[in-house]
Amino acid sequence: MREHPSVRVQRADLRRFVQAVFQSCGVPEPQSRTAAEVLCYADENGFDTHGVANLERIYVARLQDGRVDPLAAPAIVAETPATAVLDANDGLGLVAGARAMELAMEKARQTGIGCVVVRRSSHFGSAGYYTQQAQDAGMIGMAMTNLGSQTIARPLGGSVNMIGTNPIAVSAPAGQLPPFVLDMSTTVVATGKIRAAQRRGEAIPEGWLIDDEGQPVTDPRAYDEGTGHLQMLGGALETGGAKGYGLGLMVDIFCGILSGANVGPDPMLLRPEGQQQAKEDQNIGHFFLALHVEAFCPQAEFRTRMDSMLQTLLNCPAAAPATQVVYPGYLEAMGRRDGNQVQLDGAVFEQLASLAKRLGLNELPMTREVVQS
Amino acid sequence: MREHPSVRVQRADLRRFVQAVFQSCGVPEPQSRTAAEVLCYADENGFDTHGVANLERIYVARLQDGRVDPLAAPAIVAETPATAVLDANDGLGLVAGARAMELAMEKARQTGIGCVVVRRSSHFGSAGYYTQQAQDAGMIGMAMTNLGSQTIARPLGGSVNMIGTNPIAVSAPAGQLPPFVLDMSTTVVATGKIRAAQRRGEAIPEGWLIDDEGQPVTDPRAYDEGTGHLQMLGGALETGGAKGYGLGLMVDIFCGILSGANVGPDPMLLRPEGQQQAKEDQNIGHFFLALHVEAFCPQAEFRTRMDSMLQTLLNCPAAAPATQVVYPGYLEAMGRRDGNQVQLDGAVFEQLASLAKRLGLNELPMTREVVQS
């Protein structure tokens, strides 16, 4: 892949373009606006691996080949005062996810907490978008997703991939300071970071991949070649690998088992070659939790206490080689200061331009500004 | 410390003895029975670092010097249909925790999910006890605790300890197979494992401790000497350390900020020496969540799906150097097969014997059987 310098585009232009792409794939206007907002959130917050870089490969491809139904509407199939199960009916995870968190928040306003799980969904972008929905309303939000039966990593000590990257996100509002936003895969890294190193021809740190004997692998190409195996958070058993493995399984239980979606550890994986079905990221499950802060303590008190805790962390003297102590969400908020612009990888911008042409969208409705590196 | 061979005692004897200890410290009969059950759970399930080894040092000491009130009753200070805030009134965390999870479960039966936070509590033992309460009733349970303002680990890149070991536990019922029970600190290891290596005069694996320059430390004595700093799960930034750090902070938000308990990152930590208050594990906060499985899907279906997932993991062929793939909770359940006996460290048994004498409990009402090692 040629290297392109990064570019900056107007945030509103990017959202409008992405919405136009979804609409050209048959997604109705309001849903396509939601989908664009969720997808662009990732790029607006520096999670490039979960944003418009996936627009064509994941979303357009599935909308066009019928694996994702552009007209699907999420339906409530079970409900209590504080919980619900949504069936996304094979629609966009981006739309079902936003609707599910809204519903969790409505319930939290009534009962103090709301919990909504989703089945038959698809890739929902960045988990942090949904927790931010809750945070914007002064609530604590939690969001998780599994990858259906798509498998990325091995169970601890195992030799067959059985678990996805299974991310967990949590947001909590603060007062004067940027909110706490944790958005993490339960693997050591997301696979996008391995592929980025591969593109740049760089070695990866020890701890990301191991070979069949459990030895560290630093060549990122080993991942796609199947000789380097992505570790769960914590790595080996003696450095806490059972914890990352356990968190990944917890995500499959909350998102998959509870909702009726697929999960990573599927018996089909152990059938002889040829009798396995495709390990598809279909029938993905999500889990959303919204906690109404006011049910626990006054909102202002919560925010003051958050500020005190977060400011203490920011004030912590750094130890070498670090130069600054931050908390999850802080750097993203700093990077968002010019809220009108979004930085994109140059290659991703070129992909969007060629996608626009192929979809017959007259032109890429964005002016770009080349970023000096 | 002299080395003693391990011993086995009758489970019922141990519980009865621990209850007698709590009663002799002024804890009323029903509460002392609960406290004994919670504390012994740790030993019965192989979490020795959180069980009767702490009976004298943590519980008896605090009950005797007045930091923990033996007569305190947890009081509900805020409540909605699905949530509550409990004030433990400086009583035993073991008692407040069990009551809080019961309340969360009562609420979950009504609204599908129950969430209870606790403030002004104290050390609650092993988080897994509480999630097992939920699991025993066919629910999914989640429990977390912070350590009040007691600090064990540094924020990522920082040079001052600001975070506790902040554990997270999750249990989910299965059918024929042992339940899923994840019970983990958000640091690389619990401090008890470092001290155990110190007692045995053994080196610890790289990844647990780092020095002031971020280099690995394998001498366990460095931890108590203050020259080896415990890492959060994931270790350094490049191997996911921001995730363990974020999870630790999430626990402080859920347990401390939301309930009004103390948290690790307290501004007092950055005052000049001499102006700091003692970093006490007082006013600890806990967080409990119970999910009523029936609100989401039929119980039998849930258990069948759990069994399928867990059996697939057990069937996964092992990669060297591992010999078997298991899941969180499996080995503990296998170790519990002789449910009438509990194995104790010989030194811990001797501590209990001398505690019995000091408290004027006529004799240690346990027969022991020496374990051949």
Side-chain angles (χ1 to χ4, degrees), chain A residues 5-11 14 42-44 46 48 52 335 338 341-346 369 371-373:
Chain A
S6 293
V7 300
R8 283 208 195 91
V9 298
Q10 293 297 310
R11 172 178 144 142
L14 185 63
D43 297 288
E44 291 162 12
D48 332 3
V52 296
D338 180 359
Q341 291 206 313
V342 182
Q343 184 165 327
L344 293 181
D345 184 275
E369 176 192 335
V371 178
Q372 305 303 325
S373 60

mmCIF file with all atom_site columns, all heavy atoms in Angstrom, chain A residues 5-11 14 42-44 46 48 52 335 338 341-346 369 371-373:
data_model
loop_
_atom_site.group_PDB
_atom_site.id
_atom_site.type_symbol
_atom_site.label_atom_id
_atom_site.label_alt_id
_atom_site.label_comp_id
_atom_site.label_asym_id
_atom_site.label_entity_id
_atom_site.label_seq_id
_atom_site.pdbx_PDB_ins_code
_atom_site.Cartn_x
_atom_site.Cartn_y
_atom_site.Cartn_z
_atom_site.occupancy
_atom_site.B_iso_or_equiv
_atom_site.pdbx_formal_charge
_atom_site.auth_seq_id
_atom_site.auth_comp_id
_atom_site.auth_asym_id
_atom_site.auth_atom_id
_atom_site.pdbx_PDB_model_num
ATOM 1   N N   . PRO A 1 5   ? 0.250   10.994 3.031  1.00 0.00 ? 5   PRO A N   1
ATOM 2   C CA  . PRO A 1 5   ? 0.248   11.816 4.248  1.00 0.00 ? 5   PRO A CA  1
ATOM 3   C C   . PRO A 1 5   ? -1.165  11.887 4.823  1.00 0.00 ? 5   PRO A C   1
ATOM 4   O O   . PRO A 1 5   ? -2.157  11.730 4.093  1.00 0.00 ? 5   PRO A O   1
ATOM 5   C CB  . PRO A 1 5   ? 0.719   13.188 3.751  1.00 0.00 ? 5   PRO A CB  1
ATOM 6   C CG  . PRO A 1 5   ? 0.520   13.184 2.273  1.00 0.00 ? 5   PRO A CG  1
ATOM 7   C CD  . PRO A 1 5   ? 0.538   11.757 1.809  1.00 0.00 ? 5   PRO A CD  1
ATOM 8   N N   . SER A 1 6   ? -1.261  12.095 6.135  1.00 0.00 ? 6   SER A N   1
ATOM 9   C CA  . SER A 1 6   ? -2.577  12.243 6.758  1.00 0.00 ? 6   SER A CA  1
ATOM 10  C C   . SER A 1 6   ? -3.258  13.501 6.246  1.00 0.00 ? 6   SER A C   1
ATOM 11  O O   . SER A 1 6   ? -2.609  14.441 5.802  1.00 0.00 ? 6   SER A O   1
ATOM 12  C CB  . SER A 1 6   ? -2.422  12.342 8.275  1.00 0.00 ? 6   SER A CB  1
ATOM 13  O OG  . SER A 1 6   ? -1.955  11.117 8.795  1.00 0.00 ? 6   SER A OG  1
ATOM 14  N N   . VAL A 1 7   ? -4.570  13.488 6.315  1.00 0.00 ? 7   VAL A N   1
ATOM 15  C CA  . VAL A 1 7   ? -5.336  14.669 5.879  1.00 0.00 ? 7   VAL A CA  1
ATOM 16  C C   . VAL A 1 7   ? -6.322  15.052 6.974  1.00 0.00 ? 7   VAL A C   1
ATOM 17  O O   . VAL A 1 7   ? -6.667  14.228 7.828  1.00 0.00 ? 7   VAL A O   1
ATOM 18  C CB  . VAL A 1 7   ? -6.121  14.390 4.572  1.00 0.00 ? 7   VAL A CB  1
ATOM 19  C CG1 . VAL A 1 7   ? -5.176  14.014 3.449  1.00 0.00 ? 7   VAL A CG1 1
ATOM 20  C CG2 . VAL A 1 7   ? -7.172  13.312 4.775  1.00 0.00 ? 7   VAL A CG2 1
ATOM 21  N N   . ARG A 1 8   ? -6.733  16.294 6.962  1.00 0.00 ? 8   ARG A N   1
ATOM 22  C CA  . ARG A 1 8   ? -7.794  16.739 7.862  1.00 0.00 ? 8   ARG A CA  1
ATOM 23  C C   . ARG A 1 8   ? -9.021  17.093 7.046  1.00 0.00 ? 8   ARG A C   1
ATOM 24  O O   . ARG A 1 8   ? -8.918  17.729 6.005  1.00 0.00 ? 8   ARG A O   1
ATOM 25  C CB  . ARG A 1 8   ? -7.362  17.986 8.652  1.00 0.00 ? 8   ARG A CB  1
ATOM 26  C CG  . ARG A 1 8   ? -6.432  17.679 9.781  1.00 0.00 ? 8   ARG A CG  1
ATOM 27  C CD  . ARG A 1 8   ? -6.557  18.718 10.896 1.00 0.00 ? 8   ARG A CD  1
ATOM 28  N NE  . ARG A 1 8   ? -5.398  18.575 11.784 1.00 0.00 ? 8   ARG A NE  1
ATOM 29  C CZ  . ARG A 1 8   ? -4.260  19.247 11.611 1.00 0.00 ? 8   ARG A CZ  1
ATOM 30  N NH1 . ARG A 1 8   ? -4.147  20.140 10.646 1.00 0.00 ? 8   ARG A NH1 1
ATOM 31  N NH2 . ARG A 1 8   ? -3.254  19.049 12.426 1.00 0.00 ? 8   ARG A NH2 1
ATOM 32  N N   . VAL A 1 9   ? -10.175 16.652 7.542  1.00 0.00 ? 9   VAL A N   1
ATOM 33  C CA  . VAL A 1 9   ? -11.437 16.997 6.865  1.00 0.00 ? 9   VAL A CA  1
ATOM 34  C C   . VAL A 1 9   ? -12.374 17.614 7.887  1.00 0.00 ? 9   VAL A C   1
ATOM 35  O O   . VAL A 1 9   ? -12.176 17.479 9.100  1.00 0.00 ? 9   VAL A O   1
ATOM 36  C CB  . VAL A 1 9   ? -12.094 15.754 6.225  1.00 0.00 ? 9   VAL A CB  1
ATOM 37  C CG1 . VAL A 1 9   ? -11.181 15.156 5.158  1.00 0.00 ? 9   VAL A CG1 1
ATOM 38  C CG2 . VAL A 1 9   ? -12.440 14.721 7.279  1.00 0.00 ? 9   VAL A CG2 1
ATOM 39  N N   . GLN A 1 10  ? -13.373 18.301 7.380  1.00 0.00 ? 10  GLN A N   1
ATOM 40  C CA  . GLN A 1 10  ? -14.375 18.874 8.269  1.00 0.00 ? 10  GLN A CA  1
ATOM 41  C C   . GLN A 1 10  ? -15.224 17.738 8.832  1.00 0.00 ? 10  GLN A C   1
ATOM 42  O O   . GLN A 1 10  ? -15.667 16.854 8.094  1.00 0.00 ? 10  GLN A O   1
ATOM 43  C CB  . GLN A 1 10  ? -15.273 19.861 7.511  1.00 0.00 ? 10  GLN A CB  1
ATOM 44  C CG  . GLN A 1 10  ? -14.555 21.117 7.051  1.00 0.00 ? 10  GLN A CG  1
ATOM 45  C CD  . GLN A 1 10  ? -14.019 21.942 8.214  1.00 0.00 ? 10  GLN A CD  1
ATOM 46  O OE1 . GLN A 1 10  ? -14.734 22.240 9.155  1.00 0.00 ? 10  GLN A OE1 1
ATOM 47  N NE2 . GLN A 1 10  ? -12.720 22.274 8.161  1.00 0.00 ? 10  GLN A NE2 1
ATOM 48  N N   . ARG A 1 11  ? -15.447 17.803 10.124 1.00 0.00 ? 11  ARG A N   1
ATOM 49  C CA  . ARG A 1 11  ? -16.229 16.780 10.805 1.00 0.00 ? 11  ARG A CA  1
ATOM 50  C C   . ARG A 1 11  ? -17.620 16.627 10.181 1.00 0.00 ? 11  ARG A C   1
ATOM 51  O O   . ARG A 1 11  ? -18.087 15.513 9.917  1.00 0.00 ? 11  ARG A O   1
ATOM 52  C CB  . ARG A 1 11  ? -16.325 17.197 12.277 1.00 0.00 ? 11  ARG A CB  1
ATOM 53  C CG  . ARG A 1 11  ? -17.230 16.394 13.138 1.00 0.00 ? 11  ARG A CG  1
ATOM 54  C CD  . ARG A 1 11  ? -17.155 16.929 14.579 1.00 0.00 ? 11  ARG A CD  1
ATOM 55  N NE  . ARG A 1 11  ? -18.459 16.835 15.208 1.00 0.00 ? 11  ARG A NE  1
ATOM 56  C CZ  . ARG A 1 11  ? -18.654 16.510 16.479 1.00 0.00 ? 11  ARG A CZ  1
ATOM 57  N NH1 . ARG A 1 11  ? -17.621 16.278 17.271 1.00 0.00 ? 11  ARG A NH1 1
ATOM 58  N NH2 . ARG A 1 11  ? -19.858 16.428 16.983 1.00 0.00 ? 11  ARG A NH2 1
ATOM 59  N N   . LEU A 1 14  ? -17.478 14.863 6.814  1.00 0.00 ? 14  LEU A N   1
ATOM 60  C CA  . LEU A 1 14  ? -17.250 13.422 6.906  1.00 0.00 ? 14  LEU A CA  1
ATOM 61  C C   . LEU A 1 14  ? -18.543 12.704 7.284  1.00 0.00 ? 14  LEU A C   1
ATOM 62  O O   . LEU A 1 14  ? -18.923 11.701 6.674  1.00 0.00 ? 14  LEU A O   1
ATOM 63  C CB  . LEU A 1 14  ? -16.146 13.120 7.934  1.00 0.00 ? 14  LEU A CB  1
ATOM 64  C CG  . LEU A 1 14  ? -15.729 11.653 8.047  1.00 0.00 ? 14  LEU A CG  1
ATOM 65  C CD1 . LEU A 1 14  ? -15.114 11.157 6.734  1.00 0.00 ? 14  LEU A CD1 1
ATOM 66  C CD2 . LEU A 1 14  ? -14.751 11.433 9.203  1.00 0.00 ? 14  LEU A CD2 1
ATOM 67  N N   . ALA A 1 42  ? -15.578 7.176  16.133 1.00 0.00 ? 42  ALA A N   1
ATOM 68  C CA  . ALA A 1 42  ? -14.273 6.528  16.300 1.00 0.00 ? 42  ALA A CA  1
ATOM 69  C C   . ALA A 1 42  ? -13.168 7.420  15.740 1.00 0.00 ? 42  ALA A C   1
ATOM 70  O O   . ALA A 1 42  ? -12.158 7.664  16.406 1.00 0.00 ? 42  ALA A O   1
ATOM 71  C CB  . ALA A 1 42  ? -14.280 5.159  15.617 1.00 0.00 ? 42  ALA A CB  1
ATOM 72  N N   . ASP A 1 43  ? -13.357 7.927  14.528 1.00 0.00 ? 43  ASP A N   1
ATOM 73  C CA  . ASP A 1 43  ? -12.323 8.781  13.935 1.00 0.00 ? 43  ASP A CA  1
ATOM 74  C C   . ASP A 1 43  ? -12.193 10.099 14.692 1.00 0.00 ? 43  ASP A C   1
ATOM 75  O O   . ASP A 1 43  ? -11.100 10.624 14.849 1.00 0.00 ? 43  ASP A O   1
ATOM 76  C CB  . ASP A 1 43  ? -12.659 9.061  12.463 1.00 0.00 ? 43  ASP A CB  1
ATOM 77  C CG  . ASP A 1 43  ? -12.648 7.774  11.660 1.00 0.00 ? 43  ASP A CG  1
ATOM 78  O OD1 . ASP A 1 43  ? -11.556 7.241  11.434 1.00 0.00 ? 43  ASP A OD1 1
ATOM 79  O OD2 . ASP A 1 43  ? -13.735 7.287  11.296 1.00 0.00 ? 43  ASP A OD2 1
ATOM 80  N N   . GLU A 1 44  ? -13.301 10.631 15.154 1.00 0.00 ? 44  GLU A N   1
ATOM 81  C CA  . GLU A 1 44  ? -13.275 11.901 15.880 1.00 0.00 ? 44  GLU A CA  1
ATOM 82  C C   . GLU A 1 44  ? -12.534 11.761 17.209 1.00 0.00 ? 44  GLU A C   1
ATOM 83  O O   . GLU A 1 44  ? -12.090 12.744 17.789 1.00 0.00 ? 44  GLU A O   1
ATOM 84  C CB  . GLU A 1 44  ? -14.713 12.383 16.125 1.00 0.00 ? 44  GLU A CB  1
ATOM 85  C CG  . GLU A 1 44  ? -15.423 12.803 14.842 1.00 0.00 ? 44  GLU A CG  1
ATOM 86  C CD  . GLU A 1 44  ? -16.946 12.862 14.990 1.00 0.00 ? 44  GLU A CD  1
ATOM 87  O OE1 . GLU A 1 44  ? -17.443 12.803 16.135 1.00 0.00 ? 44  GLU A OE1 1
ATOM 88  O OE2 . GLU A 1 44  ? -17.625 12.971 13.950 1.00 0.00 ? 44  GLU A OE2 1
ATOM 89  N N   . GLY A 1 46  ? -9.973  9.394  17.687 1.00 0.00 ? 46  GLY A N   1
ATOM 90  C CA  . GLY A 1 46  ? -8.649  8.776  17.546 1.00 0.00 ? 46  GLY A CA  1
ATOM 91  C C   . GLY A 1 46  ? -8.647  7.264  17.540 1.00 0.00 ? 46  GLY A C   1
ATOM 92  O O   . GLY A 1 46  ? -7.576  6.661  17.612 1.00 0.00 ? 46  GLY A O   1
ATOM 93  N N   . ASP A 1 48  ? -8.947  5.106  15.108 1.00 0.00 ? 48  ASP A N   1
ATOM 94  C CA  . ASP A 1 48  ? -9.027  4.967  13.647 1.00 0.00 ? 48  ASP A CA  1
ATOM 95  C C   . ASP A 1 48  ? -9.378  3.561  13.216 1.00 0.00 ? 48  ASP A C   1
ATOM 96  O O   . ASP A 1 48  ? -9.939  3.352  12.150 1.00 0.00 ? 48  ASP A O   1
ATOM 97  C CB  . ASP A 1 48  ? -7.705  5.298  12.947 1.00 0.00 ? 48  ASP A CB  1
ATOM 98  C CG  . ASP A 1 48  ? -6.851  6.285  13.687 1.00 0.00 ? 48  ASP A CG  1
ATOM 99  O OD1 . ASP A 1 48  ? -7.225  6.705  14.791 1.00 0.00 ? 48  ASP A OD1 1
ATOM 100 O OD2 . ASP A 1 48  ? -5.800  6.614  13.152 1.00 0.00 ? 48  ASP A OD2 1
ATOM 101 N N   . VAL A 1 52  ? -14.138 5.008  9.848  1.00 0.00 ? 52  VAL A N   1
ATOM 102 C CA  . VAL A 1 52  ? -14.448 4.954  8.424  1.00 0.00 ? 52  VAL A CA  1
ATOM 103 C C   . VAL A 1 52  ? -13.495 4.052  7.655  1.00 0.00 ? 52  VAL A C   1
ATOM 104 O O   . VAL A 1 52  ? -13.792 3.682  6.512  1.00 0.00 ? 52  VAL A O   1
ATOM 105 C CB  . VAL A 1 52  ? -14.465 6.369  7.804  1.00 0.00 ? 52  VAL A CB  1
ATOM 106 C CG1 . VAL A 1 52  ? -15.597 7.199  8.420  1.00 0.00 ? 52  VAL A CG1 1
ATOM 107 C CG2 . VAL A 1 52  ? -13.119 7.075  7.959  1.00 0.00 ? 52  VAL A CG2 1
ATOM 108 N N   . GLY A 1 335 ? -7.279  15.719 22.143 1.00 0.00 ? 335 GLY A N   1
ATOM 109 C CA  . GLY A 1 335 ? -7.169  15.625 20.689 1.00 0.00 ? 335 GLY A CA  1
ATOM 110 C C   . GLY A 1 335 ? -8.411  16.131 19.975 1.00 0.00 ? 335 GLY A C   1
ATOM 111 O O   . GLY A 1 335 ? -8.385  16.432 18.781 1.00 0.00 ? 335 GLY A O   1
ATOM 112 N N   . ASP A 1 338 ? -10.094 20.775 18.644 1.00 0.00 ? 338 ASP A N   1
ATOM 113 C CA  . ASP A 1 338 ? -10.690 21.404 17.468 1.00 0.00 ? 338 ASP A CA  1
ATOM 114 C C   . ASP A 1 338 ? -11.791 20.474 16.986 1.00 0.00 ? 338 ASP A C   1
ATOM 115 O O   . ASP A 1 338 ? -11.585 19.602 16.157 1.00 0.00 ? 338 ASP A O   1
ATOM 116 C CB  . ASP A 1 338 ? -9.666  21.642 16.368 1.00 0.00 ? 338 ASP A CB  1
ATOM 117 C CG  . ASP A 1 338 ? -10.347 22.291 15.173 1.00 0.00 ? 338 ASP A CG  1
ATOM 118 O OD1 . ASP A 1 338 ? -11.581 22.506 15.228 1.00 0.00 ? 338 ASP A OD1 1
ATOM 119 O OD2 . ASP A 1 338 ? -9.664  22.585 14.188 1.00 0.00 ? 338 ASP A OD2 1
ATOM 120 N N   . GLN A 1 341 ? -12.745 19.464 13.124 1.00 0.00 ? 341 GLN A N   1
ATOM 121 C CA  . GLN A 1 341 ? -11.914 18.766 12.155 1.00 0.00 ? 341 GLN A CA  1
ATOM 122 C C   . GLN A 1 341 ? -11.601 17.350 12.616 1.00 0.00 ? 341 GLN A C   1
ATOM 123 O O   . GLN A 1 341 ? -11.545 17.067 13.803 1.00 0.00 ? 341 GLN A O   1
ATOM 124 C CB  . GLN A 1 341 ? -10.609 19.540 11.964 1.00 0.00 ? 341 GLN A CB  1
ATOM 125 C CG  . GLN A 1 341 ? -10.848 20.862 11.258 1.00 0.00 ? 341 GLN A CG  1
ATOM 126 C CD  . GLN A 1 341 ? -9.614  21.310 10.518 1.00 0.00 ? 341 GLN A CD  1
ATOM 127 O OE1 . GLN A 1 341 ? -8.527  21.287 11.064 1.00 0.00 ? 341 GLN A OE1 1
ATOM 128 N NE2 . GLN A 1 341 ? -9.792  21.691 9.267  1.00 0.00 ? 341 GLN A NE2 1
ATOM 129 N N   . VAL A 1 342 ? -11.420 16.483 11.656 1.00 0.00 ? 342 VAL A N   1
ATOM 130 C CA  . VAL A 1 342 ? -11.067 15.099 11.937 1.00 0.00 ? 342 VAL A CA  1
ATOM 131 C C   . VAL A 1 342 ? -9.858  14.736 11.098 1.00 0.00 ? 342 VAL A C   1
ATOM 132 O O   . VAL A 1 342 ? -9.814  15.070 9.906  1.00 0.00 ? 342 VAL A O   1
ATOM 133 C CB  . VAL A 1 342 ? -12.228 14.141 11.575 1.00 0.00 ? 342 VAL A CB  1
ATOM 134 C CG1 . VAL A 1 342 ? -11.856 12.701 11.927 1.00 0.00 ? 342 VAL A CG1 1
ATOM 135 C CG2 . VAL A 1 342 ? -13.500 14.542 12.280 1.00 0.00 ? 342 VAL A CG2 1
ATOM 136 N N   . GLN A 1 343 ? -8.888  14.074 11.704 1.00 0.00 ? 343 GLN A N   1
ATOM 137 C CA  . GLN A 1 343 ? -7.700  13.657 10.964 1.00 0.00 ? 343 GLN A CA  1
ATOM 138 C C   . GLN A 1 343 ? -7.884  12.226 10.474 1.00 0.00 ? 343 GLN A C   1
ATOM 139 O O   . GLN A 1 343 ? -8.320  11.353 11.225 1.00 0.00 ? 343 GLN A O   1
ATOM 140 C CB  . GLN A 1 343 ? -6.476  13.762 11.869 1.00 0.00 ? 343 GLN A CB  1
ATOM 141 C CG  . GLN A 1 343 ? -5.192  13.435 11.128 1.00 0.00 ? 343 GLN A CG  1
ATOM 142 C CD  . GLN A 1 343 ? -3.959  13.876 11.900 1.00 0.00 ? 343 GLN A CD  1
ATOM 143 O OE1 . GLN A 1 343 ? -3.995  14.886 12.598 1.00 0.00 ? 343 GLN A OE1 1
ATOM 144 N NE2 . GLN A 1 343 ? -2.876  13.129 11.759 1.00 0.00 ? 343 GLN A NE2 1
ATOM 145 N N   . LEU A 1 344 ? -7.590  12.023 9.208  1.00 0.00 ? 344 LEU A N   1
ATOM 146 C CA  . LEU A 1 344 ? -7.712  10.689 8.612  1.00 0.00 ? 344 LEU A CA  1
ATOM 147 C C   . LEU A 1 344 ? -6.390  10.267 8.007  1.00 0.00 ? 344 LEU A C   1
ATOM 148 O O   . LEU A 1 344 ? -5.636  11.090 7.489  1.00 0.00 ? 344 LEU A O   1
ATOM 149 C CB  . LEU A 1 344 ? -8.762  10.696 7.489  1.00 0.00 ? 344 LEU A CB  1
ATOM 150 C CG  . LEU A 1 344 ? -10.224 10.914 7.838  1.00 0.00 ? 344 LEU A CG  1
ATOM 151 C CD1 . LEU A 1 344 ? -11.049 10.852 6.556  1.00 0.00 ? 344 LEU A CD1 1
ATOM 152 C CD2 . LEU A 1 344 ? -10.694 9.875  8.844  1.00 0.00 ? 344 LEU A CD2 1
ATOM 153 N N   . ASP A 1 345 ? -6.122  8.979  8.052  1.00 0.00 ? 345 ASP A N   1
ATOM 154 C CA  . ASP A 1 345 ? -5.002  8.397  7.333  1.00 0.00 ? 345 ASP A CA  1
ATOM 155 C C   . ASP A 1 345 ? -5.208  8.672  5.837  1.00 0.00 ? 345 ASP A C   1
ATOM 156 O O   . ASP A 1 345 ? -6.323  8.542  5.317  1.00 0.00 ? 345 ASP A O   1
ATOM 157 C CB  . ASP A 1 345 ? -5.007  6.887  7.612  1.00 0.00 ? 345 ASP A CB  1
ATOM 158 C CG  . ASP A 1 345 ? -3.836  6.182  6.996  1.00 0.00 ? 345 ASP A CG  1
ATOM 159 O OD1 . ASP A 1 345 ? -3.917  5.815  5.804  1.00 0.00 ? 345 ASP A OD1 1
ATOM 160 O OD2 . ASP A 1 345 ? -2.841  5.997  7.692  1.00 0.00 ? 345 ASP A OD2 1
ATOM 161 N N   . GLY A 1 346 ? -4.115  9.077  5.149  1.00 0.00 ? 346 GLY A N   1
ATOM 162 C CA  . GLY A 1 346 ? -4.243  9.420  3.731  1.00 0.00 ? 346 GLY A CA  1
ATOM 163 C C   . GLY A 1 346 ? -4.770  8.261  2.903  1.00 0.00 ? 346 GLY A C   1
ATOM 164 O O   . GLY A 1 346 ? -5.580  8.447  1.981  1.00 0.00 ? 346 GLY A O   1
ATOM 165 N N   . GLU A 1 369 ? -7.147  18.841 3.937  1.00 0.00 ? 369 GLU A N   1
ATOM 166 C CA  . GLU A 1 369 ? -5.990  19.665 4.240  1.00 0.00 ? 369 GLU A CA  1
ATOM 167 C C   . GLU A 1 369 ? -4.891  18.671 4.606  1.00 0.00 ? 369 GLU A C   1
ATOM 168 O O   . GLU A 1 369 ? -5.086  17.826 5.468  1.00 0.00 ? 369 GLU A O   1
ATOM 169 C CB  . GLU A 1 369 ? -6.362  20.540 5.447  1.00 0.00 ? 369 GLU A CB  1
ATOM 170 C CG  . GLU A 1 369 ? -5.290  21.414 6.003  1.00 0.00 ? 369 GLU A CG  1
ATOM 171 C CD  . GLU A 1 369 ? -5.755  21.962 7.363  1.00 0.00 ? 369 GLU A CD  1
ATOM 172 O OE1 . GLU A 1 369 ? -6.977  22.058 7.599  1.00 0.00 ? 369 GLU A OE1 1
ATOM 173 O OE2 . GLU A 1 369 ? -4.890  22.265 8.181  1.00 0.00 ? 369 GLU A OE2 1
ATOM 174 N N   . VAL A 1 371 ? -1.834  17.123 6.352  1.00 0.00 ? 371 VAL A N   1
ATOM 175 C CA  . VAL A 1 371 ? -1.195  17.350 7.645  1.00 0.00 ? 371 VAL A CA  1
ATOM 176 C C   . VAL A 1 371 ? 0.314   17.199 7.483  1.00 0.00 ? 371 VAL A C   1
ATOM 177 O O   . VAL A 1 371 ? 0.794   16.193 6.959  1.00 0.00 ? 371 VAL A O   1
ATOM 178 C CB  . VAL A 1 371 ? -1.708  16.322 8.675  1.00 0.00 ? 371 VAL A CB  1
ATOM 179 C CG1 . VAL A 1 371 ? -0.999  16.520 10.015 1.00 0.00 ? 371 VAL A CG1 1
ATOM 180 C CG2 . VAL A 1 371 ? -3.219  16.464 8.836  1.00 0.00 ? 371 VAL A CG2 1
ATOM 181 N N   . GLN A 1 372 ? 1.064   18.206 7.894  1.00 0.00 ? 372 GLN A N   1
ATOM 182 C CA  . GLN A 1 372 ? 2.534   18.119 7.863  1.00 0.00 ? 372 GLN A CA  1
ATOM 183 C C   . GLN A 1 372 ? 2.966   17.151 8.959  1.00 0.00 ? 372 GLN A C   1
ATOM 184 O O   . GLN A 1 372 ? 2.562   17.309 10.098 1.00 0.00 ? 372 GLN A O   1
ATOM 185 C CB  . GLN A 1 372 ? 3.154   19.508 8.110  1.00 0.00 ? 372 GLN A CB  1
ATOM 186 C CG  . GLN A 1 372 ? 2.662   20.587 7.166  1.00 0.00 ? 372 GLN A CG  1
ATOM 187 C CD  . GLN A 1 372 ? 2.890   20.265 5.694  1.00 0.00 ? 372 GLN A CD  1
ATOM 188 O OE1 . GLN A 1 372 ? 3.883   19.657 5.340  1.00 0.00 ? 372 GLN A OE1 1
ATOM 189 N NE2 . GLN A 1 372 ? 1.940   20.644 4.841  1.00 0.00 ? 372 GLN A NE2 1
ATOM 190 N N   . SER A 1 373 ? 3.746   16.151 8.595  1.00 0.00 ? 373 SER A N   1
ATOM 191 C CA  . SER A 1 373 ? 4.171   15.202 9.631  1.00 0.00 ? 373 SER A CA  1
ATOM 192 C C   . SER A 1 373 ? 5.587   15.501 10.097 1.00 0.00 ? 373 SER A C   1
ATOM 193 O O   . SER A 1 373 ? 6.229   16.417 9.617  1.00 0.00 ? 373 SER A O   1
ATOM 194 C CB  . SER A 1 373 ? 4.065   13.773 9.113  1.00 0.00 ? 373 SER A CB  1
ATOM 195 O OG  . SER A 1 373 ? 4.896   13.642 7.987  1.00 0.00 ? 373 SER A OG  1
#
